[in-house]
């Protein structure tokens, strides 16, 4: 039985989708820019919140981000492979001991007390 050499075509050398974004982990505070089309105008709307879950399936990444707005929790799912997601910026790093932070749903405004800040690990631009 002979083994034939593996041929590399252009499709196998492409970048992994979503690699244009920085590495994100659960507990990080991120700012995601989403492209909105209103009539014939385009604009970018930003959503800033804490990543409470990351789902990876078939090379695709889905982020579940939660923020508090006027005391009400808002969660959104973002597909990083979507052309609607324009930018992803990591604002703050926190140290967590869980893979999913669903317990933050019941905490309300005490969320910042439960996550340990690790922002000094971010590379500053200056």
């Amino acid at each position: 039985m002979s083994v034939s050499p593996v041929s590399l075509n252009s499709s196998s050398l492409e970048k992994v989708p979503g690699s244009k974004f920085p590495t994100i982990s659960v507990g990080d505070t991120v700012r995601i820019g989403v492209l909105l089309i209103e009539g014939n105008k385009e604009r970018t709307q930003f959503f800033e919140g804490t990543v409470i879950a990351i789902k990876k399936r078939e090379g695709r990444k889905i982020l579940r981000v939660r923020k508090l707005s006027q005391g009400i929790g808002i969660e959104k799912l973002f597909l990083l492979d979507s052309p609607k997601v324009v930018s992803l910026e990591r604002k703050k790093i926190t140290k967590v001991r869980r893979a999913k932070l669903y317990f933050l749903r019941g905490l309300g405004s005490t969320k910042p007390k439960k996550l340990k800040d690790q922002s000094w690990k971010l590379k500053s631009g200056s």
Side-chain angles (χ1 to χ4, degrees), residues 6-70:
V6 177
S7 63
L8 295 175
N9 54 15
S10 61
S11 63
S12 65
L13 296 176
E14 292 176 13
K15 283 187 171 181
V16 176
S19 63
K20 63 182 178 179
F21 300 124
T23 56
I24 300 295
S25 59
V26 175
D28 291 349
T29 301
V30 294
R31 186 170 189 232
I32 300 176
V34 180
L35 185 68
L36 290 181
I37 301 171
E38 298 170 339
N40 53 3
K41 294 182 183 177
E42 290 184 356
R43 69 180 183 93
T44 304
Q45 184 178 24
F46 292 98
F47 187 88
E48 185 168 344
T50 304
V51 177
I52 63 170
I54 297 176
K55 193 181 284 188
K56 298 175 188 173
R57 184 173 295 160
E58 298 177 2
R60 299 180 180 194
K61 242 183 188 182
I62 301 172
L63 295 181
R64 184 178 295 261
V65 182
R66 178 179 176 84
K67 76 173 184 175
L68 286 175
S69 177
Q70 299 175 0

Side-chain angles (χ1 to χ4, degrees), residues 52-114:
I52 63 170
I54 297 176
K55 193 181 284 188
K56 298 175 188 173
R57 184 173 295 160
E58 298 177 2
R60 299 180 180 194
K61 242 183 188 182
I62 301 172
L63 295 181
R64 184 178 295 261
V65 182
R66 178 179 176 84
K67 76 173 184 175
L68 286 175
S69 177
Q70 299 175 0
I72 298 173
I74 298 170
E75 286 185 14
K76 282 190 176 183
L77 290 172
F78 294 100
L79 297 114
L80 292 186
D81 295 339
S82 172
K84 298 273 186 186
V85 176
V86 178
S87 65
L88 177 65
E89 184 181 351
R90 190 184 210 183
K91 290 287 197 177
K92 191 164 113 179
I93 301 173
T94 52
K95 181 181 177 185
V96 295
R97 300 169 80 183
R98 304 281 182 270
K100 310 280 191 232
L101 301 180
Y102 295 136
F103 69 91
L104 293 178
R105 292 174 176 164
L107 292 182
S109 63
T110 60
K111 176 174 72 168
K113 298 175 187 174
K114 296 289 181 180

